Amino acid sequence: MDEQNKNLLLATVLSFAVMLVWFIFFQPPPPVEDPNDPAAVTETIAPSADGVASAPAAAPGTTDQIAPETTASDAPRIAVDTPRVEGSISLLGGRIDDLRLKDYTVSLDSDEIVQMLDPVGNDDAYYVLYGWAPGNGLAGDDVPGANTQWTLESGENLTPDAPITLRWDSPTGLVFRREISIDADYMFDVTQTVENPTDANVSLAPYGIVARHGEPEGKRFFVLHEGAMQMSDGILELTTYADMPDLDVNASEGAPATVERAEQSGWVGFTDHYWMAMLVPGNDQPFKSVIKYDPRSDIYQSEAVLATRQLAAGETVAVSTRLFAGAKEWETIREYQAQGIDRFIDSIDWGWFFFLTKPIFAVLHWLNLMIGNMGLAIIALTVLLKAILFPLAYKSYASMAKMKELQPEMEKIKERAGDDREKLQRDMMALYKEKKVNPAAGCLPILLQIPIFFSLYKVIFVTLELRHADFFGPFRDLSAPDPTSIFNLFGLLPWGAPEGGSIMALIFIGILPLLLGISMWLQQKLNPAPADPAQQMIFAWMPWVFMFMLGGFASGLVVYWITNNVITFIQQYTIMRRHGYKPDILGNIRGNKAKTASK
């Protein structure tokens, strides 16, 4: 086997091995029913009737008690209406527990918008609570909690131009107010005020809680984080829902599993694939970040407990914090980070290759804004990446062309060496050194594609901007697999394609995976097939194996791979011609084993 084919085989086998590992451990999860879709059937475990997350009537800064439950949907509500969200706030507990995202539907073919937060009493309760934990001089009934009945003191509906103020008077005479405002996107500002008209000095600690009942339906996919997030003084901590019951190994049986961190700045909350709810106390307010799971009520909680306030007789204390509840849009989150939220952009799961995924997405997003089509933006990004890597690719393909030029001398060395493999290796290395040829250079372009491929896969799978991103024709969601199928001749026959995730869908692939296989096959034909029959078989099957393996991946990723193959073909053909060789593509397709024409 000549050295060029040996290197090509090594690079191809290595690439195949990496892809095989990725396909086994990181393949896209099968489509799951959206929990927000009313047609979906889920089996979430309903919380107990007396379970709701709340702050305690105990020491400040702890939240270990579960308050009795009253159905929040029965309480009076204040409407929330902005250009991007709609919903309501319950006067029971002052809960922000009903929020829908106007810009996003649960599926491409549905008009139902995404339900972000859901009141207690529904199957997937998910809500935000604020309150005060009692300290010296106060009991649990002296501070507002989960079931406090607030009254509307000012305002009517919550809009970006009209905040509301809630009021509650405690039995001991303290006056609590909560002013809530919202911007045009997804950020709430919550100012909690307590006035002490009594003669007694008291202490109390403000807190915020994000709680959800039962583990939510999600992708449950290794490459994606779903669960609690804690930004702790510049350090990001991630805890999945599955890991939260095991947070505290020292907790007694049946007791909440809890992790607490004292922070000077940061944020804490829960994230799903595309949506999140995060408590943001502010950089100037030290707080205790808490995540916990209570097995008794099956409630997941994230909490921000601020420092205890000493309130003398006649004084008033006000504490302002923020809440992000909405879509994980890159531009929106970046703008909030610019406003001072530490590393808020990292609420998007960029993964291990963050140093690649972040700039790749930034460029892809910019290209999409310029072009107006995400599929064309992916193609443009591929062209840009290939241009950046072209100097390395040029050296690689030039080295391959020189290797072909050395074939006559290499054959003579093989004849002289006979069965002496040590002499063969020594003479070959001397020839490479004399002619300044690197036999391993052909592997470099393929090896460089691996981290880029993984990073782009992460970007396409994780970022919201790729969700329901249109290309053309049937390709209406580049984050989903190719919807076309050979089974119905790509939509020409009057029956549907096989259901996604099924064996039939794997066999009857779409047009994009088919184009991928063809592009890989043509790329192979730039060189004659190796003489060894076993190697011939590997090369013959390789494009079609990749075609089926990548058939279930996001169509945006397949578009990238097709474009990459086409550009690689053009680059390699052009460079080989410039070095005096014209690849006999038709001859290689026919199985012609003649040498490619020399200059």
Side-chain angles (χ1 to χ4, degrees), residues 171-497:
T172 55
L174 298 179
V175 180
F176 293 87
R177 288 183 175 86
R178 185 176 302 166
E179 181 179 321
I180 304 174
S181 61
I182 187 172
D183 66 10
D185 291 310
Y186 306 116
M187 190 68 76
F188 292 81
D189 281 275
V190 181
T191 299
Q192 299 190 85
T193 303
V194 56
E195 177 186 344
N196 182 11
T198 72
D199 297 330
N201 297 336
V202 296
S203 62
L204 63 176
Y207 65 84
I209 292 175
V210 179
R212 60 192 320 169
H213 292 207
E215 182 176 352
E217 290 287 342
K219 298 296 174 64
R220 296 183 175 88
F221 190 34
F222 180 80
V223 77
L224 172 70
H225 173 72
E226 295 174 296
M229 302 185 80
Q230 294 173 284
M231 178 56 69
S232 308
D233 296 331
I235 300 174
L236 183 61
E237 301 286 344
L238 306 177
T239 308
T240 65
Y241 290 110
D243 289 338
M244 287 187 67
D246 302 321
L247 285 172
D248 187 357
V249 295
N250 297 318
S252 59
E253 185 175 355
T258 305
V259 166
E260 300 180 356
R261 292 182 173 88
E263 316 299 351
Q264 295 298 316
S265 64
W267 33 272
V268 61
F270 290 116
T271 182
D272 296 331
H273 191 169
Y274 297 120
W275 337 110
M276 67 177 182
M278 293 289 160
L279 300 166
V280 186
N283 292 334
D284 58 342
Q285 298 190 110
F287 71 101
K288 181 164 63 177
S289 172
V290 181
I291 60 172
K292 67 166 60 171
Y293 170 73
D294 193 326
R296 299 167 298 185
S297 52
D298 194 25
I299 293 177
Y300 298 83
Q301 286 184 205
S302 58
E303 308 168 3
V305 184
L306 279 67
T308 299
R309 267 55 175 182
Q310 306 296 328
L311 187 59
E315 286 188 341
T316 299
V317 170
V319 177
S320 295
T321 60
R322 287 190 283 179
L323 164 70
F324 178 96
K328 296 161 66 173
E329 299 167 350
W330 181 75
E331 279 195 345
T332 303
I333 293 175
R334 189 176 64 159
E335 178 62 29
Y336 288 135
Q337 178 171 293
Q339 295 174 13
I341 303 179
D342 184 31
R343 289 185 58 188
F344 205 42
I345 199 68
D346 289 332
S347 59
I348 300 172
D349 184 11
W350 300 108
W352 297 334
F353 290 103
F354 63 89
F355 51 89
L356 289 176
T357 52
K358 284 184 176 182
I360 284 176
F361 175 77
V363 174
L364 178 62
H365 183 68
W366 178 80
L367 289 170
N368 183 45
L369 292 177
M370 296 297 103
I371 299 172
N373 183 288
M374 185 60 79
L376 295 179
I378 291 174
I379 293 174
L381 174 66
T382 311
V383 174
L384 182 60
L385 290 173
K386 295 295 287 186
I388 293 173
L389 296 175
F390 180 73
L392 292 175
Y394 183 87
K395 290 182 180 180
S396 171
Y397 299 140
S399 178
M400 292 173 66
K402 291 180 181 179
M403 290 287 292
K404 296 185 70 67
E405 190 176 354
L406 294 178
Q407 285 300 314
E409 294 185 54
M410 293 168 64
E411 291 297 329
K412 292 179 182 179
I413 290 176
K414 290 179 183 178
E415 292 177 4
R416 291 196 302 266
D419 295 332
D420 190 345
R421 299 187 64 84
E422 184 177 345
K423 176 178 174 55
L424 174 64
Q425 186 70 19
R426 185 173 59 251
D427 291 348
M428 284 288 190
M429 294 304 296
L431 177 64
Y432 298 150
K433 185 175 181 180
E434 177 187 351
K435 301 297 182 179
K436 298 181 179 179
V437 173
N438 182 3
C443 303
L444 189 59
I446 295 179
L447 294 178
L448 289 174
Q449 292 301 316
I450 294 174
I452 295 175
F453 177 86
F454 288 169
S455 299
L456 190 59
Y457 176 81
K458 179 80 172 182
V459 165
I460 291 174
F461 186 78
V462 168
T463 56
L464 174 64
E465 285 72 10
L466 270 294
R467 181 183 188 261
H468 298 175
D470 193 22
F471 188 15
F472 71 93
F475 306 105
R476 300 164 56 202
D477 185 359
L478 288 170
S479 68
D482 185 341
T484 64
S485 173
I486 298 176
F487 186 71
N488 61 1
L489 289 183
F490 312 115
L492 296 178
L493 298 179
W495 54 76

Side-chain angles (χ1 to χ4, degrees), residues 32-44 123-124 217:
V32 296
E33 294 170 304
D34 194 308
N36 297 308
D37 188 343
V41 178
T42 58
E43 297 183 357
T44 54
D123 289 338
D124 301 297
E217 290 287 342

